[in-house]
Structure formats: structure tokens, C-alpha cells
Amino acid sequence: GGKPTLEGGIQEADIIAALRLYITREKFSFPATHQGLGYNNLIYISLMLASMSFRASQRRGQNAAIFPMLLIEEPEAHLHPALQYKLLSHIVSRVEDEPNDSRQVFVTTHSTHVTSAVKLNSIIGLSLNCDGTIGVSYPGKLFPQTEKGQVSRGYVERYLDATKSTMLFAKGVLLVEGIAEQLIVPALAHALGMPFDHHHVAIVRVDGLTFKHFLYLFGAGSAEGMEEFALNCPVACLVDADPTRKEKGVKNARWKSCFPFELGHDDSSYDYRDLSGVVANLNSLKKNRVNIGIFHGEKTLEYDLAMWNYKCQEFVTTVIKHADEIRQLAIKPMALSGKLKEMLNDDEYEALEKITSENKQKQHRFAAAYLRCAEKCKGEHAFALEQLLRLEKNASIVKCPSYIQQAIKWVTKFVPAKERTS
């Protein structure tokens, strides 16, 4: 016998629940439920950002304000890489362009496209230590407030793109000079039974000799008191030795590249350096950081590989100059053919012929000719050699130089600091 009545008000959430979002494109209109999950996530996040701005503008009394926080878990899920970057760039710009709005956005991610869209100060790294504890790193705080420190910080922020950002997520990092090392070294690691993908190792090309800028992230030369917040993983720098010589008694003489077998050949006319200044600077910057290793051979990657494979025909790719002559030299490494001899100047050939050890002479003869024939096609040669190394039948034929083996072991087998020697 009661009388029904309607009471209550309509809330914002009730209205939103009753509405359906439609997308109009050209002549077509369709519900948002027919779109991809990643794109719909973008729409939802944009609505949440707008809602945060509205709520932050409201007051709760004279001395009270709302401080909303938006927590986004792995926005890269179901999202195109370009949109990942665009989303984070948009969030960063919203926060920076409205500094007076009270709000904060937290994003958890495994995406290098996401990390490349933000500055170092916005990044906090979480990792699992060997003892099971959680390690926390603050990349933006590791650069000292000095001119050199800030130059390095600016360099890293400019070049920490989606490729180089892999170091933020890796369990081991190998820094290399160029494309040749980036292609060949992972293939060598695979042949040695220590594949980088299995050990979560990132190989990062620094494009030149700019290793020092990135080492701050791993605690080398870090700001005072911040070493414990460095990236907690082993890092190796694979550097060319690049021996050089300089004419004596010549004003403004410059150091010029030379072969290892030329070192000390003519002390009356030249000063020699067996290692480039880059190696010395990196060792100085490293100091007592037990997670950082510096590794080098006798000259360059191509030269050192040839030294270790001077009898291996399979090692010679078809893309290098005078490939047939190089293969014949691998079969009979006793003398250079006319074409290969022309690749060396008189001083180089004279120093080569004066090597007393017959075996060493064969190694350097093959390596010098091999390097000169591969110099103008390093990228193409590296790709061809990488494909050759990936073939199972060649895995045991091609030998890996010892310093590269050491670098691979360094980044693939992390040992607690107390058990480790530098």
C-alpha cells in the first residue's frame, strides 16, 4: 500500500556510464569499443589528465587543496612505438606548461620509447641486486655540478634515444664505438655460448669515443655521495687501442695512426704511443668502480679479429677488397701478393718484415692486409661477417680475441662486488 517516489541526484559518473563515445573519421562514425585497446587507452588517459586539472583547481577550504596523482602502468601495452613516445612527450609538456597546477604523474614502464621521451631527472630505476634487495638508481643526480659534468649530462640527454635507453633496463651493458662492434660482438657472444639476449645484455653504440659521458650513469666520476644510486649492473667499454706515432723535432707534429708492429721501429725519428688517450682517460675515470671494465686489443676490431684468424679462409667475406688474395694469404701466410703489398707504404712494409718471430710476422702480415682491404666497407663487411658467424658450422672455426672474450664474460656474469676484482 506504499506510494513510490523518486529521490536523489544524478552524479557525473552516472551520466558518463550512460553515454557512448563515438569516433568520426571522414564519412564514418563508429563506437570507441570498435577501436584498438592501445588507442582507447590514450583517450582514457587524456580524460584522466583533464579530470586532474579540473580537480586540482578546486579548493577545500582556505588552507586545503586537492593534490591528485595519476598512476599509469606500462602505457606501452598495445601501443605503437611512435605513440608511446608521443604520449609521454604530451604528459611531460602538460606538467611543464602548467607548473602551478598541483598534480603528479607516475609511469611504470619497460619501454625504451617511453624513457627516451623524458629527461634524466624524471627517471628512477629499480633493479634486483645479487643479495635479493631492491636497488634504486637516479640517473639525473649522478652528474656532478661541474662544467664537465654538465656537458656530459647534456650529451647523454640529447643522445639517450630509444636505442641507447636499453641500458636503463639491462642486467649488463657493453658500450662499443661503432656499427662493426654492434653487429659482430653479439654474434661472437652467441658462438661462445653466452648470448646477450639470454643474459639481458644491452650493446650500445656510442658513435665515436664518447664513452666517458655514459659512464657517469654507472657511478664513474659521479656527484659526491651519489655513487650508491648509479645503475647497478656491470658495464664494459670495448675500445680500439689505436696506437700512434709522432715525428720528433717537427713543430706542431700530430699523432698519427700506425700499426702495432711499427711501435719502436724507428725511435730516432718518432715518438710512439701503444694506446690512445681514450683508454687512459677511461681508466682514470673508472677509478675504483668494480662494475666497470675497460677492454682493448692491439689496434682495431678488424685488425684484432684478423690476428686471431690469420689461417681461417672462412673469416674472409666477399665484400672486402682483394678477397681472393686475402684467402690465399690465409692458406700460405708467407708473403704478400703484389696487390696486397701495394696496400702498405714502404715504412709499414719495412717494419713488418723486421718482425723477428715468424708466427707473429704471419699474424701481423695477414691483419695489416685484411684491415686495409676492409677499411672502406666496414659496415657492409661487418654485416657479412655477422651473418657468417651466425652459421653454426662457423661458430667453432672463427676464434674470438681474448679481450673481447673478457668483455663478454664481464657483462654476462654479474658477481657481487665483494667477490669481484677489477
Side-chain angles (χ1 to χ4, degrees), residues 160-172:
L160 199 64
D161 56 15
T163 301
K164 294 181 176 63
S165 285
T166 54
M167 69 176 71
L168 300 175
F169 303 95
K171 291 184 179 179

Side-chain angles (χ1 to χ4, degrees), residues 316-328 340 373:
V316 182
T317 67
T318 58
V319 300
I320 66 173
K321 193 174 183 180
H322 305 315
D324 291 336
E325 283 80 0
I326 293 291
R327 289 194 186 93
Q328 287 301 313
L340 296 181
C373 290

Side-chain angles (χ1 to χ4, degrees), residues 125-136 169-171 232-234 414:
L126 300 176
S127 60
L128 189 64
N129 294 327
C130 289
D131 58 3
T133 60
I134 301 297
V136 184
F169 303 95
K171 291 184 179 179
N232 183 37
C233 69
F414 181 62

Side-chain angles (χ1 to χ4, degrees), residues 120-121 140-158 213 216 223:
L120 288 175
N121 271 348
K141 297 182 179 181
L142 297 170
F143 298 85
Q145 296 298 319
T146 61
E147 182 178 354
K148 288 185 178 179
Q150 293 309 298
V151 167
S152 292
R153 177 198 176 95
Y155 184 92
V156 172
E157 286 196 323
R158 282 196 307 274
H213 300 307
Y216 284 103

Side-chain angles (χ1 to χ4, degrees), residues 74-93:
E74 300 186 2
E76 63 268 23
H78 312 290
L79 202 58
H80 188 279
L83 284 178
Q84 295 175 31
Y85 183 89
K86 196 170 184 178
L87 168 63
L88 263 292
S89 296
H90 173 69
I91 292 175
V92 169
S93 65

Side-chain angles (χ1 to χ4, degrees), residues 72-250:
I72 307 174
E73 181 183 9
E74 300 186 2
E76 63 268 23
H78 312 290
L79 202 58
H80 188 279
L83 284 178
Q84 295 175 31
Y85 183 89
K86 196 170 184 178
L87 168 63
L88 263 292
S89 296
H90 173 69
I91 292 175
V92 169
S93 65
R94 285 288 298 270
V95 173
E96 291 182 347
D97 293 345
E98 301 169 0
N100 296 324
D101 286 358
S102 301
R103 60 182 172 185
Q104 194 166 9
V105 181
F106 293 88
V107 179
T108 61
T109 184
H110 290 97
S111 170
T112 57
H113 298 282
V114 169
T115 53
S116 64
V118 299
K119 294 182 178 179
L120 288 175
N121 271 348
S122 299
I123 298 174
I124 301 174
L126 300 176
S127 60
L128 189 64
N129 294 327
C130 289
D131 58 3
T133 60
I134 301 297
V136 184
S137 60
Y138 296 90
K141 297 182 179 181
L142 297 170
F143 298 85
Q145 296 298 319
T146 61
E147 182 178 354
K148 288 185 178 179
Q150 293 309 298
V151 167
S152 292
R153 177 198 176 95
Y155 184 92
V156 172
E157 286 196 323
R158 282 196 307 274
Y159 292 102
L160 199 64
D161 56 15
T163 301
K164 294 181 176 63
S165 285
T166 54
M167 69 176 71
L168 300 175
F169 303 95
K171 291 184 179 179
V173 177
L174 181 63
L175 301 177
V176 298
E177 291 188 23
I179 186 65
E181 291 87 352
Q182 192 176 32
L183 288 171
I184 295 171
V185 176
L188 290 171
H190 187 271
L192 291 171
M194 293 176 280
F196 284 171
D197 54 350
H198 177 74
H199 292 275
H200 304 284
V201 173
I203 180 165
V204 178
R205 192 178 78 198
V206 301
D207 295 316
L209 302 173
T210 56
F211 296 91
K212 62 180 182 180
H213 300 307
F214 294 96
L215 288 187
Y216 284 103
L217 297 173
F218 302 93
S222 295
E224 187 175 355
M226 294 303 299
E227 294 87 351
E228 63 177 303
F229 298 123
L231 294 176
N232 183 37
C233 69
V235 57
C237 296
L238 205 60
V239 194
D240 288 344
D242 286 331
T244 53
R245 68 179 185 177
K246 182 176 68 173
E247 288 188 81
K248 288 183 176 180
V250 177

Side-chain angles (χ1 to χ4, degrees), residues 245-250 253 264-272 347:
R245 68 179 185 177
K246 182 176 68 173
E247 288 188 81
K248 288 183 176 180
V250 177
H265 173 64
D266 187 1
D267 289 322
S268 61
S269 303
Y270 295 95
D271 291 321
Y272 296 92
D347 287 347

Side-chain angles (χ1 to χ4, degrees), residues 239-299:
V239 194
D240 288 344
D242 286 331
T244 53
R245 68 179 185 177
K246 182 176 68 173
E247 288 188 81
K248 288 183 176 180
V250 177
K251 187 177 181 181
N252 299 324
R254 301 179 64 181
W255 291 99
K256 295 182 179 180
S257 177
C258 68
F259 286 110
F261 54 78
E262 291 183 273
L263 295 172
H265 173 64
D266 187 1
D267 289 322
S268 61
S269 303
Y270 295 95
D271 291 321
Y272 296 92
R273 291 195 307 198
D274 58 344
L275 293 175
S276 70
V278 175
V279 178
N281 291 337
L282 289 177
N283 281 318
S284 176
L285 183 63
K286 165 193 168 182
K287 293 184 179 178
N288 298 322
R289 293 296 299 181
V290 295
N291 64 318
I292 298 175
I294 314 298
F295 303 91
H296 62 83
E298 293 195 41
K299 185 169 174 61

